[in-house]
Amino acid sequence: MVHVTRDKSKLSFEQLELFAAVVQCGSISAAARNLHMSPSLAARKIAILEAELGTRVFDRTTRRVHLTESGHRALQWAQDVLTGYVSLTDDLNIMQQKLSGTLRIVSNEYLLTSILPKFIANFSRTFPDVRYTLRMTDTHVASEQRDFDLAIYSGHIRDSSLKGIRIRDYRRVLCASPSYMKRRGRPTTLEALTEHDCLTHEQIEGQWTFRKNGQVLQQRVNSIATSSSHLPLIQLAVNGMGVAQISRESIRQELADGKLETVLDDYECLNIDTTQPATWVVYPGERKLERTRVFVSELTRYLRSLPA
């Protein structure tokens, strides 16, 4: 059982944030790095938290920490406190007609390096009291995660339980460099892809899906390189390594400069589940904070104004 002595408690909001971060990261040192504090200071703060609660919340090993039975109960309480605080400050901001607090954004490499920086910089000038935590990963968040406010992804969302909105559709194309096609020839049929070197994203590794004249077609491909991000695939294609399937928007300059050329243009590239590629914003729960709602509204307007 968790015991908290109210009149002498030294528990702080910072300690609860650290506690939740240790659970999320799996170790005190990893959580300390995320929160920009030394591992030794983080370990002392966890020790103080355990002393104040009167119970051990973690079983420690050399590599990872694991919640005790009391730790599971304490974590639920800590998350409720943290969520309640964020909701309270959001309600107060709405009453004062201002946006503040931290937006925790998760996105893939392409969006977070090529698309979002300009938008976030402009948004920050309009709402200077908002702070940002940006985490780059091409691995999609899980529905049970609570360490983010919004995740922005392109392509196919595997977890159907995630709450989100489809911001806009975009077009993928097949492309290769002139040097590659001079060496290997230009593919003129889908079947020819089995004879070509293909550069694939891990979401659609080994099989590409297309539509032509209303008919869905799936084609096995000869994948010689796979990546969790499209940016390395673009550079591999530019350097003549093979045929890649990339969003047209992300290679607009390479096409204009003649570094890449599109092939099989009469085939429409689809996700593996036959849906149209799209940019999505997903949320960890039912409630969206006011700063999140405003950010997503402005981001949707911005992204929809960009060339498809």
Side-chain angles (χ1 to χ4, degrees):
M1 179 176 292
V2 176
H3 300 282
V4 179
T5 305
R6 294 184 180 179
D7 57 340
K8 296 182 179 180
S9 177
K10 297 178 182 177
L11 289 177
S12 67
F13 190 79
E14 182 186 42
Q15 286 172 315
L16 299 185
E17 282 188 311
L18 173 61
F19 176 32
V22 171
V23 176
Q24 178 66 38
C25 296
S27 72
I28 293 176
S29 58
R33 286 193 298 271
N34 283 356
L35 296 175
H36 308 292
M37 68 175 67
S38 69
S40 59
L41 176 60
R44 288 198 298 273
K45 289 181 179 294
I46 291 296
I48 293 172
L49 179 141
E50 289 181 321
E52 288 298 312
L53 294 177
T55 186
R56 290 176 60 190
V57 296
F58 292 119
D59 284 326
R60 295 165 175 80
T61 65
T62 55
R63 291 184 177 272
R64 295 186 67 84
V65 296
H66 303 277
L67 283 170
T68 62
E69 184 177 353
S70 296
H72 281 286
R73 178 66 185 90
L75 176 64
Q76 182 181 3
W77 167 74
Q79 289 177 331
D80 288 343
V81 171
L82 294 170
T83 301
Y85 174 78
V86 171
S87 296
L88 172 62
T89 56
D90 187 56
D91 290 340
L92 294 176
N93 286 335
I94 293 173
M95 292 173 63
Q96 299 172 43
Q97 296 185 329
K98 73 172 187 177
L99 295 184
S100 65
T102 300
L103 265 175
R104 301 168 299 169
I105 302 170
V106 179
S107 189
N108 61 32
E109 184 178 16
Y110 170 67
L111 288 172
L112 204 51
T113 57
S114 302
I115 301 296
L116 292 178
K118 180 178 180 180
F119 170 78
I120 292 174
N122 289 335
F123 188 86
S124 181
R125 283 189 281 272
T126 305
F127 302 102
D129 293 327
V130 176
R131 300 292 180 262
Y132 307 88
T133 298
L134 307 176
R135 179 153 57 93
M136 183 167 64
T137 175
D138 281 82
T139 301
H140 288 181
V141 295
S143 56
E144 66 272 12
Q145 285 182 242
R146 299 176 62 174
D147 63 337
F148 70 101
D149 296 307
L150 67 153
I152 309 166
Y153 289 114
S154 294
H156 171 56
I157 303 298
R158 293 191 181 97
D159 189 345
S160 60
S161 65
L162 287 168
K163 310 291 184 182
I165 59 172
R166 188 185 187 110
I167 290 185
R168 65 160 188 163
D169 294 342
Y170 64 90
R171 182 186 174 196
R172 287 203 200 106
V173 296
L174 298 181
C175 61
S177 70
S179 64
Y180 172 82
M181 289 189 286
K182 182 178 180 180
R183 188 175 75 251
R184 297 291 303 276
R186 178 184 292 269
T188 56
T189 65
L190 289 187
E191 293 77 10
L193 292 174
T194 60
E195 304 299 325
H196 280 267
D197 297 334
C198 294
L199 313 170
T200 59
H201 193 279
E202 64 179 16
Q203 285 190 14
I204 49 176
E205 179 184 0
Q207 181 170 281
W208 286 343
T209 305
F210 304 89
R211 181 164 51 219
K212 182 179 181 181
N213 299 326
Q215 182 181 5
V216 173
L217 305 166
Q218 292 185 321
Q219 177 62 51
R220 300 295 298 179
V221 296
N222 174 36
S223 176
I224 66 165
T226 300
S227 173
S228 62
S229 169
H230 282 103
L231 294 185
L233 299 179
I234 294 172
Q235 293 307 310
L236 292 176
V238 166
N239 283 279
M241 191 169 171
V243 180
Q245 184 182 143
I246 305 290
S247 74
R248 189 178 186 91
E249 177 186 47
S250 64
I251 57 170
R252 194 173 299 276
Q253 192 59 53
E254 286 80 1
L255 292 174
D257 294 342
K259 294 179 179 179
L260 290 174
E261 297 177 7
T262 60
V263 299
L264 298 171
D265 292 328
D266 49 346
Y267 291 90
E268 179 186 4
C269 299
L270 302 177
N271 291 324
I272 195 168
D273 64 351
T274 75
T275 59
Q276 177 77 22
T279 301
W280 291 81
V281 173
V282 298
Y283 311 98
E286 295 292 340
R287 169 163 180 160
K288 296 188 289 291
L289 300 175
E290 181 67 11
R291 58 180 175 268
T292 304
R293 286 193 290 268
V294 174
F295 183 91
V296 171
S297 176
E298 294 299 314
L299 177 64
T300 300
R301 185 179 298 110
Y302 173 74
L303 290 180
R304 288 177 178 171
S305 71
L306 298 177

